[in-house]
């Protein structure tokens, strides 16, 4: 296989000392964003993910055979002593799992792995991309003239098929590592094989041209010994064939030092887009900030001066090395590159379980990780994270890149679906609006985590309002307001309103004079009756120190009185009257809000049930559909039945229409008098959104 990227990155790091970064630098860029050389397309203005697609298992039909990329010796099954694995995939959505020589998982189940050669695997991955805002996939293509060539050829077809099916874009990304005859063979491969895929409507285009990336020119290592002239020839040849050519280049390409050979400036500046490598360069937040100031800012300036688009690499962090900080590392990297003004982002990588920097679904706990193998799960630092957490962060990062989410250094993505964001502040980084603003003092400043920035309304006009969209309904009980710490004392007369739809508001706290005093931190807490709302509005009618409404920080918190938190149904056996394709009943208890059960279509009633294992007092159910906005609101008519033996059933909740609305998290709670039951069944007799019963979650709680 030649040198891997992991081999390379171990030799070059951010190295020495990191310059100190001021707090101001974490909020505002040092220079205004550079204008893109190209208009938005399939890579400019988009989230691109690197897609390896290189895992194979015996019996999957792949021409290469064996445990390709799962084992050091691919003809022996992966085990703790024969492995390339540093992170373990979450296996719940794959139809096929191939048994390994690893110890059983912590829950006693056999340790199985997926094959990228299974079309269902590729379809699953591209469905995840679709559901989480990954616009484009860069399909890695190594030397196709070796023994992996036929498998790589087949993977290109599988990726094309999945991209077309799920509405994603893809392009070919040549990795020249160890490819000694690259100069002639890359041209041959593009001409005779890969260029045919540009006929697909899913093939990525930029400026009307098919996109091709070449990764590896100029790297200072033995795996890429090519001279500048040979590299420049390949770039110019691809451009002459009408391609938009991206360069996957060294981190220090601009200076020609460290991981970059000198003398490649002409090669680098020949590309339409520059995408510098970053994996392995740092594992700290300070390191990311140092690179932003000392590498990314001048990189972007150089690209702008030469009319080149800039697509920096962003990474979730190496899970195996403990870099992730339950999402804060990834968010800082996304935030830094968006505030920089990057023209697009390249996520490294989607499925790289060999380097631990995958965003694809990963095992949540040691219960689904091989026991004693030393492989970290997503809860490695004590914070529980759902398997799709880094996909969800990617979705929010993409929204921030596209201006759909206010620029914020505060990660808005909660580690668990439906849970509060970091620190419990529901408003952090959420979309905002206001009745007016004074110059640069915009509404988003009140949720950006910086007490020094603030919202200010038009001067001399009252009332004025500010509001935040929490993204879903929450039982709000407390609002914390603040002004910059150094400001003089003042009283603002204000009230708090709430809404479920952003149109009709009810008063949660009546107008009152709220004192902001630097002696007490210039903060004030407004307690409100616990009310489930999605939108929170603060209306200001007076200010004793300035003729305008002013807020530097608004934090919103849910009630601290919570119902029982142990889900009795999680991971329990299930059954159903029917299911459609792979949408099986087990998905309702797998903890993944995006996988779901769907019954056979066009026939009602249908049911799905869970076996709690023993008779248990149950008083509340939470039912859900995938929270993605792609799932439009619908009403399902359903009832709840209970049984002690799985044969004799009694109705404990009569049939009723239950509204599932993405604006409220696509979930409903069903409460009832405490009932002893071992089996709980949901019976569906109608669905306004699809002619079948559908559920992604069935959670059961004690009374």
């Amino acid at each position: 296989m030649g040198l891997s990227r992991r081999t390379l990155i171990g030799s070059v790091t951010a190295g020495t000392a990191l310059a100190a970064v001021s707090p101001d630098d974490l909020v505002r860029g040092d220079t205004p964003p550079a204008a893109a050389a190209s208009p938005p397309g399939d890579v400019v203005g988009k989230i691109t993910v690197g897609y390896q697609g290189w895992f194979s298992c015996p019996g999957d039909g792949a021409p290469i055979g064996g445990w390709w990329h799962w084992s050091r010796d691919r003809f022996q099954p992966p085990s703790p002593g024969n492995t390339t694995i540093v992170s373990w995939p979450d296996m719940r959505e794959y139809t096929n799992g191939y048994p390994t020589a690893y110890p059983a998982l912590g829950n006693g189940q056999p340790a199985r792995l997926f094959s990228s050669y299974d079309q269902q695997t590729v379809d699953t991955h591209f469905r995840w991309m679709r559901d989480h805002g990954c616009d484009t996939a860069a399909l890695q293509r190594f030397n196709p003239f070796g023994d992996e060539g036929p498998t790589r050829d087949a993977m290109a077809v599988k990726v094309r098929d999945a991209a077309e099916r799920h509405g994603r874009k893809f392009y070919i990304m040549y990795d020249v590592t160890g490819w000694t005859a690259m100069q002639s063979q890359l041209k041959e491969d593009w001409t005779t094989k890969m260029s045919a895929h540009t006929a697909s409507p899913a093939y990525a285009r930029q400026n009307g041209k098919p996109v091709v990336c070449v990764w590896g020119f100029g790297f200072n290592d033995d795996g890429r010994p090519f001279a500048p002239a040979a590299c420049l020839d390949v770039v110019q040849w691809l451009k002459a064939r009408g391609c938009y050519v991206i360069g996957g280049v060294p981190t220090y390409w601009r200076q020609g030092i460290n991981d970059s050979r000198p003398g490649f400036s002409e090669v680098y500046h020949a590309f339409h887009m520059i995408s510098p490598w970053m994996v392995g360069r740092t594992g700290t937040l300070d390191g990311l900030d140092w690179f932003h100031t000392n590498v990314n800012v001048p990189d972007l300036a150089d690209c702008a001066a030469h009319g080149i688009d800039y697509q920096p690499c962003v990474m979730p962090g190496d899970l195996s090395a403990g870099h992730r900080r339950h999402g804060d590392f990834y968010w800082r990297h996304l935030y830094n590159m968006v505030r920089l003004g990057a023209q697009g982002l390249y996520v490294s990588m989607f499925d790289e379980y060999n380097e631990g920097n995958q965003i694809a679904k990963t095992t949540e706990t040691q219960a689904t990780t091989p026991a004693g193998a030393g492989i970290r799960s997503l809860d490695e630092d004590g914070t529980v994270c759902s398997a799709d957490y880094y996909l969800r962060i990617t979705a929010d990062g993409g929204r921030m890149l596209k201006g759909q989410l206010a620029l914020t250094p505060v990660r808005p993505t909660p580690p668990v679906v439906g849970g509060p964001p970091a620190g419990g502040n529901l408003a952090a980084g959420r979309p905002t609006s206001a009745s007016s603003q004074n110059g640069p003092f915009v509404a988003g400043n009140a949720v950006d985590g910086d007490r020094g920035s603030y919202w200010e309304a038009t001067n001399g006009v009252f009332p004025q309002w500010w509001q935040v969209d929490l993204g879903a309904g929450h039982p709000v009980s407390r609002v914390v307001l603040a002004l910059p710490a150094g400001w003089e004392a003042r009283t603002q007369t204000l009230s708090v309103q709430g809404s479920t739809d952003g149109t009709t508001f009810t008063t949660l706290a009546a107008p009152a004079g709220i004192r902001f005093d630097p002696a007490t931190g210039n903060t004030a807490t407004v307690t409100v009756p616990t009310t489930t709302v999605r939108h929170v509005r603060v209306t200001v009618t007076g200010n004793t120190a300035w003729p305008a409404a002013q807020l530097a920080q608004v934090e919103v918190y849910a009630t601290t009185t919570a119902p029982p938190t142990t889900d009795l149904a999680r991971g329990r056996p299930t059954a159903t009257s029917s299911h459609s394709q792979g949408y099986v009943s087990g998905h309702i208890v797998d903890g993944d809000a995006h996988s779901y059960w769907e019954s056979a279509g066009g026939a009602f009633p249908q049911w799905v049930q869970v076996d709690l294992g023993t008779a248990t007092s149950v008083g509340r159910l939470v039912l859900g559909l995938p929270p993605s906005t792609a799932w439009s609101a619908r009403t399902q008519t359903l009832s709840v039945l209970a049984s002690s033996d799985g044969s004799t059933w009694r109705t404990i909740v009569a049939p009723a229409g239950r509204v599932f609305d993405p604006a409220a998290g696509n979930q409903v709670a069903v409460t009832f008098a405490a009932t002893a039951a071992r089996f709980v069944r949901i019976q569906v007799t109608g669905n306004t959104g699809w002619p079948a019963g559908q559920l992604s979650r069935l959670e059961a709680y004690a009374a």
Side-chain angles (χ1 to χ4, degrees):
M1 294 188 296
L3 288 174
S4 71
R5 292 183 181 175
R6 193 171 186 83
T7 304
L8 167 69
I9 64 179
S11 63
V12 183
T13 64
T16 61
L18 295 176
V21 181
S22 71
D24 285 346
D25 191 45
L26 298 182
V27 180
R28 294 172 290 275
D30 298 324
T31 58
S38 301
D42 291 337
V43 288
V44 171
K46 297 298 193 295
I47 294 287
T48 299
V49 295
Y51 189 65
Q52 299 284 26
W54 64 7
F55 297 106
S56 181
C57 307
D60 61 6
I64 196 168
W67 293 94
W68 189 40
H69 284 277
W70 286 129
S71 296
R72 286 197 303 270
D73 177 356
R74 77 169 189 255
F75 300 109
Q76 298 297 323
S79 66
N82 177 40
T83 189
T84 62
I85 305 165
V86 300
S87 287
W88 199 265
D90 181 280
M91 291 294 297
R92 288 175 293 188
E93 294 184 52
Y94 299 107
T95 300
N96 297 324
Y98 298 83
T100 71
Y102 267 92
L105 308 181
N107 61 16
Q109 296 178 355
R112 298 175 180 271
L113 292 167
F114 68 80
S115 167
S116 302
Y117 203 76
D118 289 333
Q119 185 68 54
Q120 190 268 344
T121 295
V122 185
D123 285 339
T124 297
H125 289 167
F126 274 74
R127 173 169 56 83
W128 293 347
M129 293 180 201
R130 179 199 67 198
D131 291 347
H132 297 91
C134 303
D135 303 295
T136 305
L139 175 61
Q140 314 296 289
R141 186 167 177 82
F142 293 80
N143 179 3
F145 290 83
D147 64 346
E148 67 179 77
T151 302
R152 282 286 173 193
D153 293 346
M155 286 306 304
V157 175
K158 294 175 188 291
V159 164
R160 173 178 176 171
D161 182 70
E164 291 174 351
R165 183 177 297 112
H166 294 285
R168 299 299 89 188
K169 301 293 185 178
F170 78 101
Y171 62 84
I172 299 302
M173 185 174 188
Y174 285 107
D175 188 320
V176 299
T177 304
W179 191 356
T180 55
M182 170 276 303
Q183 186 176 2
S184 61
Q185 290 181 345
L186 187 152
K187 299 174 185 177
E188 179 183 347
D189 183 72
W190 179 254
T191 301
T192 61
K193 292 182 179 179
M194 292 300 103
S195 62
H197 291 298
T198 64
S200 168
Y203 197 88
R205 290 181 174 271
Q206 183 62 51
N207 304 346
K209 301 177 179 182
V211 177
V212 181
C213 180
V214 182
W215 192 95
F217 285 171
F219 278 86
N220 187 21
D221 67 87
D222 294 338
R224 306 164 189 87
F226 316 107
C231 298
L232 183 60
D233 171 65
V234 170
V235 176
Q236 292 175 334
W237 185 89
L238 286 169
K239 292 171 71 174
R241 267 71 193 162
C243 296
Y244 177 92
V245 189
I246 303 174
V249 301
T251 308
Y252 295 94
W253 64 276
R254 177 175 41 82
Q255 298 166 279
I257 61 173
N258 295 342
D259 63 344
S260 175
R261 298 177 190 272
F264 273 78
S265 179
E266 186 179 2
V267 177
Y268 298 146
H269 288 125
F271 288 111
H272 291 110
M273 173 177 269
I274 288 287
S275 186
W277 191 237
M278 266 295 292
V279 173
R281 300 311 190 247
T282 184
T284 68
L285 301 182
D286 285 347
L288 292 175
D289 295 337
W290 184 91
F291 273 102
H292 167 269
T293 301
N294 297 286
V295 176
N296 302 123
V297 169
D299 274 2
L300 179 58
D302 186 284
C303 286
H306 290 86
I308 299 170
D309 298 316
Y310 188 54
Q311 184 200 51
C313 171
V314 291
M315 53 192 179
D318 183 351
L319 179 61
S320 67
H323 292 166
R324 295 203 172 190
R325 293 169 177 79
H326 50 269
D328 287 344
F329 182 87
Y330 191 21
W331 189 256
R332 177 67 66 82
H333 210 180
L334 288 163
Y335 166 71
N336 278 354
M337 294 305 99
V338 173
R339 72 184 174 108
L340 174 74
Q343 279 89 59
L345 299 180
Y346 179 83
V347 178
S348 181
M349 302 281 288
F350 185 85
D351 56 341
E352 181 55 283
Y353 294 97
N354 304 125
E355 292 181 353
N357 64 333
Q358 74 289 341
I359 62 168
K361 296 188 182 183
T362 300
T363 181
E364 298 172 346
T365 69
Q366 289 300 302
T368 50
T369 308
I375 297 175
R376 296 186 186 219
S377 48
L378 290 181
D379 66 346
E380 49 92 21
D381 67 353
T383 300
V384 176
C385 304
S386 61
D388 66 348
Y389 181 37
Y390 288 87
L391 290 167
R392 290 188 289 111
I393 293 178
T394 304
D396 280 346
R399 292 172 58 224
M400 188 166 64
L401 172 70
K402 297 166 187 174
Q404 300 162 356
L405 175 70
L407 179 66
T408 172
V410 180
R411 169 178 51 79
T413 320
V416 177
V417 175
N425 174 18
L426 299 168
R430 298 301 307 171
T432 59
S433 57
S435 54
S436 68
Q437 68 183 48
N438 179 20
F441 307 117
V442 297
N445 289 349
V447 294
D448 66 3
D450 176 19
R451 282 283 298 278
S453 68
Y454 59 95
W455 165 69
E456 182 174 290
T458 298
N459 287 194
V461 180
F462 289 105
Q464 297 285 348
W465 57 262
W466 175 98
Q467 75 183 46
V468 60
D469 178 357
L470 305 180
H474 293 278
V476 170
S477 61
R478 182 165 56 99
V479 179
V480 178
L481 309 173
L483 293 177
W487 283 17
E488 68 274 16
R490 68 200 64 201
T491 297
Q492 294 194 73
T493 303
L494 57 84
S495 58
V496 178
Q497 295 82 37
S499 172
T500 58
D501 59 7
T503 301
T504 303
F505 284 82
T506 58
T507 297
L508 306 181
I514 303 298
R515 183 70 170 172
F516 296 87
D517 192 326
T520 56
N522 258 343
T523 64
T525 298
V526 180
T527 302
V528 303
T530 299
T531 309
T532 298
V533 296
R534 172 174 173 171
H535 304 266
V536 174
R537 175 178 289 183
V538 179
T539 299
V540 183
T541 56
N543 185 338
T544 61
W546 195 259
Q550 297 171 314
L551 292 172
Q553 189 164 300
V554 179
E555 300 175 358
V556 179
Y557 296 90
T559 179
T560 56
T561 303
T565 57
T566 301
D567 175 13
L568 304 171
R570 181 70 176 269
R572 300 300 307 170
T574 60
T576 181
S577 55
S578 68
H579 71 269
S580 174
Q581 300 181 48
Y583 307 116
V584 297
S585 62
H587 288 168
I588 67 171
V589 295
D590 65 4
D592 180 0
H594 295 278
S595 67
Y596 59 96
W597 161 74
E598 182 174 291
S599 71
F604 290 107
Q606 298 285 348
W607 55 262
V608 64
Q609 71 187 47
V610 60
D611 177 0
L612 303 181
T614 186
T616 306
S617 178
V618 180
R620 183 170 64 97
L621 304 179
V622 177
L623 310 177
L625 290 177
S628 168
T629 55
W631 282 72
S632 57
R634 65 201 64 200
T635 299
Q636 295 194 73
T637 304
L638 54 85
S639 56
V640 182
L641 294 80
S643 173
S644 59
D645 58 9
S647 299
T648 304
W649 296 86
R650 63 189 187 280
T651 299
I652 57 176
V653 178
R658 304 287 178 171
V659 178
F660 295 83
D661 190 335
N666 253 347
Q667 68 179 34
V668 298
V670 181
T671 57
F672 45 87
T675 301
R678 171 177 173 176
F679 299 88
V680 176
R681 175 181 290 183
I682 305 299
Q683 183 156 291
V684 185
T685 55
N687 185 341
T688 62
W690 193 257
Q694 298 171 311
L695 282 179
S696 66
R697 284 196 290 164
L698 169 53
E699 300 174 2
Y701 297 92

